[in-house]
Amino acid sequence: MHRCSMTTSATWKVGRLAEASGLTVRTLHHWDTIGLLSPSQRTAGGHREYTEGDLVRLYQVLALRNLGLALDTVAACLDAGVDPARLVRDHLAGVEASIAALGVLRDRLVRLGDELSAEQTPTAPALLDALRAIGAGDRGLRTLGRHLDDDQIRALRSRAAALGPATHYLIEVEWPELYRRAERLRTAGTPATHQEVRRLVARMDELSAMFSGGDAGVAARVRAAWHDDPAAMSGDPGAPVDDWRELADYLDQARRDTH
């Protein structure tokens, strides 16, 4: 079968784009309906025509879908201006950091296990190394524990597990990016009532609802944990507390003005 070249025209009708991309016309129509990928042009007869810019977005959509993200998350990432290439780089960096951390933990536990197998009393350095490796990620959990009870923390973990591969991107990529964009608006003097600030807050609250199950009380307590110890919650020991708290107040103002 002859396949249409995508370099011979500046626009593509839906059937031609479906053939070239391996998608179905029905899928492209659905993505248009939900606003994920809408053609930039229409013919005089009302037929969809996709431009080169639309093809760039299609490529980004497919790249993020291949990473396991749900369609609503893909749309939010792209509409928030998140660079898909940076998503992949960030994920790769996170995977490599996890591999390195696991390697360190393995070495420490092997050394500790060797000492125990030899019926030796583990040395203080070996014990301290193992304790540090095991407890390195617990500071944020302890901060949450000051605001949530055990059942609420278990529920958060359960919902995070249910989201599967998307959890990493939602928590470690999209959410921080939303905060960074909000901080840039705040430091630029943008009013909390500005539409872009409200849009960012709405997406933050949407993500919060995904993990809290829509429990406004739990969501408020998680925000309080961030306000209490932003360095622990963000995983960034250098996070400036005053800036984080000013940002939290700024976002809360946007919420009050929105509601």
Side-chain angles (χ1 to χ4, degrees):
M1 177 184 293
H2 173 70
R3 296 184 64 86
C4 297
S5 169
M6 298 186 64
T7 61
T8 60
S9 176
T11 62
W12 296 265
K13 289 187 172 60
V14 64
R16 189 173 166 216
L17 181 60
E19 180 187 0
S21 64
L23 298 170
T24 65
V25 170
R26 181 176 181 180
T27 293
L28 290 173
H29 283 172
H30 175 62
W31 287 3
D32 182 14
T33 300
I34 65 176
L36 177 63
L37 177 70
S38 296
S40 297
Q41 297 181 187
R42 296 268 179 170
T43 66
H47 297 292
R48 297 170 174 85
E49 282 193 334
Y50 294 84
T51 65
E52 291 182 0
D54 298 328
L55 264 64
V56 171
R57 184 173 174 96
L58 173 59
Y59 177 82
Q60 293 172 337
V61 168
L62 293 177
L64 294 180
R65 285 287 285 159
N66 285 338
L67 293 174
L69 295 185
L71 289 179
D72 56 349
T73 301
V74 170
C77 286
L78 294 179
D79 292 344
V82 177
D83 178 9
R86 190 179 64 76
L87 284 180
V88 176
R89 290 195 300 270
D90 287 350
H91 189 200
L92 178 60
V95 169
E96 290 177 342
S98 297
I99 291 172
L102 287 172
V104 171
L105 176 59
R106 178 188 180 280
D107 291 343
R108 289 170 175 171
L109 293 177
V110 166
R111 186 164 61 251
L112 183 60
D114 288 343
E115 293 183 2
L116 290 171
S117 297
E119 297 184 354
Q120 300 175 6
T121 300
T123 62
L127 284 171
L128 289 175
D129 276 351
L131 289 172
R132 277 194 294 269
I134 294 169
D138 287 347
R139 185 178 169 191
L141 187 59
R142 289 196 299 271
T143 301
L144 273 178
R146 292 196 291 268
H147 297 270
L148 301 172
D149 60 34
D150 291 343
D151 287 340
Q152 291 169 328
I153 290 177
R154 278 195 293 271
L156 287 177
R157 285 174 162 171
S158 176
R159 292 187 186 98
L163 290 171
T167 302
H168 168 83
Y169 299 96
L170 294 174
I171 294 178
E172 299 186 31
V173 179
E174 184 184 357
W175 220 327
E177 176 65 17
L178 293 172
Y179 274 100
R180 283 191 291 268
R181 290 172 64 84
E183 176 63 4
R184 287 196 294 270
L185 291 170
R186 184 187 73 82
T187 56
T190 305
T193 55
H194 192 277
Q195 182 179 2
E196 187 171 358
V197 181
R198 290 177 171 176
R199 182 169 60 84
L200 291 173
V201 167
R203 179 55 182 169
M204 290 176 187
D205 290 347
E206 183 181 6
L207 293 179
S208 176
M210 292 174 67
F211 289 96
S212 67
D215 188 323
V218 170
R221 290 175 186 176
V222 172
R223 288 199 299 272
W226 276 85
H227 197 280
D228 178 28
D229 193 345
M233 294 298 293
S234 67
D236 178 7
V241 174
D242 291 341
D243 287 350
W244 274 97
R245 290 176 178 168
E246 288 177 9
L247 176 59
D249 292 340
Y250 177 73
L251 297 174
D252 284 341
Q253 182 184 347
R255 289 185 180 92
R256 289 193 297 270
D257 291 339
T258 299
H259 300 303

